[in-house]
Amino acid sequence: MITDTQDQAAIERRLWKALEDHQTGMLGIDGAPKQTQPMTAFLDEERNQIWFFTRSDTDLSRAIGEGRRASFIVQRKGLQAVISGELTLQYDPARIERYWNAVVAAWYPLGREDPGLTMLCLTCEAAQVWLSDAGPVRFAWEIAKAHATHAPPELGGRANLSFH
């Protein structure tokens, strides 16, 4: 799947698709590397939001306060991305119901009514996306060519997205 790095809409679709298919990445508060942790993403593409289940008593939840700049890092075959925006703590019963599933339930033995259950909302503002459609043969070729020509390998491209 070759994606033109100038086609912003195609890159955004590919990013959302990768998140929808795999849902996991590393969420962290900007400037606070100790607050970065793996999280499962639930998407609201229409609002450019990514939602995460959490507990209100976690270090990450406490560090957010009224809201903080944050980044969600995604790495999949052929796509790596850093999505940035405002991260807020939001208790939203409708979203809890919408995204609740058996995997989420395993983390919250008291169920949807768990008093510590809440959600985080990353309102996406921008993303840097790196794309590579090179399979193993092209990768080997580009590495060999780079050594022979002393030029960097050509394995994909980078694009900047704005969600506004």
Side-chain angles (χ1 to χ4, degrees):
M1 171 196 314
I2 296 174
T3 304
D4 177 1
T5 57
Q6 300 303 310
D7 186 345
Q8 299 288 298
I11 293 168
E12 188 172 333
R13 281 191 305 275
R14 188 165 166 185
L15 175 60
W16 287 121
K17 177 75 171 125
L19 282 169
E20 182 180 313
D21 289 349
H22 300 285
Q23 291 187 288
T24 57
M26 296 295 289
L27 177 66
I29 296 171
D30 291 359
K34 291 182 181 180
Q35 302 301 335
T36 301
Q37 60 190 54
M39 297 292 279
T40 300
F42 295 89
L43 309 179
D44 184 341
E45 290 180 54
E46 290 178 14
R47 292 182 177 87
N48 294 318
Q49 294 175 332
I50 304 174
W51 290 80
F52 309 90
F53 283 92
T54 193
R55 297 190 58 80
S56 57
D57 60 356
T58 64
D59 290 341
L60 183 60
S61 294
R62 284 191 295 266
I64 292 168
E66 295 297 313
R68 298 278 301 270
R69 302 282 313 154
S71 297
F72 188 57
I73 302 166
V74 179
Q75 186 166 355
R76 302 287 169 255
K77 182 179 180 182
L79 181 143
Q80 294 81 36
V82 179
I83 304 165
S84 60
E86 183 76 12
L87 186 65
T88 56
L89 193 62
Q90 296 187 30
Y91 179 74
D92 187 333
R95 288 214 187 259
I96 290 170
E97 185 65 33
R98 177 178 171 187
Y99 298 134
W100 192 263
N101 62 44
V103 175
V104 172
W107 294 99
Y108 302 94
L110 298 177
R112 292 175 188 88
E113 303 306 317
D114 187 320
L117 174 63
T118 193
M119 298 192 83
L120 303 174
C121 177
L122 179 65
T123 301
C124 304
E125 296 171 6
Q128 286 187 314
V129 182
W130 291 263
L131 302 170
S132 173
D133 297 306
V137 173
R138 179 162 175 223
F139 179 82
W141 168 256
E142 288 293 334
I143 297 302
K145 184 174 85 172
H147 285 292
T149 63
H150 304 289
E154 296 175 17
L155 292 168
R158 185 186 98 170
N160 294 317
L161 296 178
S162 176
F163 293 102
H164 296 265

